[in-house]
């Protein structure tokens, strides 16, 4: 898990440097391009917020040309599945582990959206969000987000779904 978190941080740093270098080059050439890598991996309390900022320009394209034509927020819980499966297929040649990666993130968005709706009711004002309870809830959500990112990326890019279950079994048994 620690190695995966370190890898995620390295990937964020690597892509941030690469994309910002080429953004600088584009801006110097007079071309306005969107910023990518808006927040560090460790500075996201939600999965949705993470993916909106990770590759923000690609996210805009996905929203404009895939999510909205499929019905947008009207069918949000179904559309995220289509978007993530498209992204999984777009990353590389079609492989099961990337489809599993897509399904992990799509599956975790549904409970996240439910928790956000509950949070808006429990903490409706800025003053309500300036409490220890709210901050603890955000910390818990952020920790859960990091664990989902680790598990999803381990499945998608390292071990696949079958080997992930084996790794979790080994972890649970204490070996």
């Amino acid at each position: 898990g620690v190695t995966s978190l370190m890898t995620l941080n390295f990937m964020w740093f690597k892509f941030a440097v690469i994309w910002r270098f080429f953004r600088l080059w584009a801006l110097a050439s007079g071309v306005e391009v969107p910023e990518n890598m808006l927040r560090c991996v460790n500075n996201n309390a939600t999965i949705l917020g993470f993916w909106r900022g990770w590759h923000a320009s690609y996210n805009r394209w996905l929203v404009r040309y895939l999510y909205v034509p499929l019905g947008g927020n009207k069918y949000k819980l179904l559309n995220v599945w289509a978007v993530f499966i498209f992204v999984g297929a777009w990353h590389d040649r079609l492989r099961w582990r990337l489809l599993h990666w897509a399904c992990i993130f799509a599956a975790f968005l549904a409970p996240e959206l439910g928790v956000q709706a509950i949070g808006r009711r429990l903490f409706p004002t800025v003053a309500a969000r300036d409490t220890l309870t709210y901050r603890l809830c955000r910390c818990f959500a952020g920790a859960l987000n990091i664990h989902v990112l680790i598990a999803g990326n381990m499945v998608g890019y390292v071990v696949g779904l079958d080997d992930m279950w084996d790794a979790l079994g080994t972890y649970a048994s204490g070996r």
Side-chain angles (χ1 to χ4, degrees):
V2 171
T3 303
S4 296
L5 181 59
M6 289 172 36
T7 302
L8 281 173
N9 280 284
F10 173 75
M11 296 298 288
W12 175 85
F13 182 70
K14 176 181 86 167
F15 286 132
V17 169
I18 291 169
W19 285 336
R20 287 188 177 140
F21 172 77
F22 286 108
R23 182 171 190 263
L24 175 65
W25 193 263
L27 290 171
S29 299
V31 178
E32 176 68 34
V33 294
E35 181 76 52
N36 284 314
M37 310 303 283
L38 301 177
R39 294 176 129 185
C40 179
V41 172
N42 303 318
N43 190 18
N44 288 282
T46 65
I47 296 167
L48 192 58
F50 172 79
W51 288 116
R52 282 182 177 156
W54 177 263
H55 195 319
S57 57
Y58 184 50
N59 181 66
R60 285 185 190 177
W61 186 91
L62 289 168
V63 168
R64 182 178 293 153
Y65 296 109
L66 193 61
Y67 184 77
V68 171
L70 288 172
N73 286 339
K74 185 176 179 182
Y75 303 109
K76 181 180 268 187
L77 294 177
L78 292 174
N79 289 344
V80 296
W81 287 89
V83 169
F84 271 103
I85 288 171
F86 176 83
V87 170
W90 171 82
H91 265 84
D92 202 355
R93 60 185 161 85
L94 196 54
R95 295 188 306 184
W96 282 111
R97 64 171 53 177
L98 286 173
L99 294 178
H100 292 145
W101 170 91
C103 290
I104 286 170
F105 289 113
F108 273 94
L109 274 176
E112 177 178 294
L113 295 172
V115 168
Q116 283 180 347
I118 292 168
R120 280 191 292 274
R121 286 197 178 133
L122 293 175
F123 306 101
T125 64
V126 173
R129 289 188 296 272
D130 192 28
T131 62
L132 179 62
T133 303
Y134 179 78
R135 286 192 293 265
L136 289 173
C137 289
R138 284 289 281 194
C139 288
F140 177 76
L144 184 61
N145 177 40
I146 291 293
H147 283 82
V148 170
L149 286 170
I150 288 170
N153 285 302
M154 286 288 290
V155 167
Y157 295 101
V158 182
V159 296
L161 194 59
D162 293 336
D163 290 336
M164 184 64 164
W165 290 121
D166 292 342
L168 287 175
T170 302
Y171 174 75
S173 68
R175 290 186 272 156

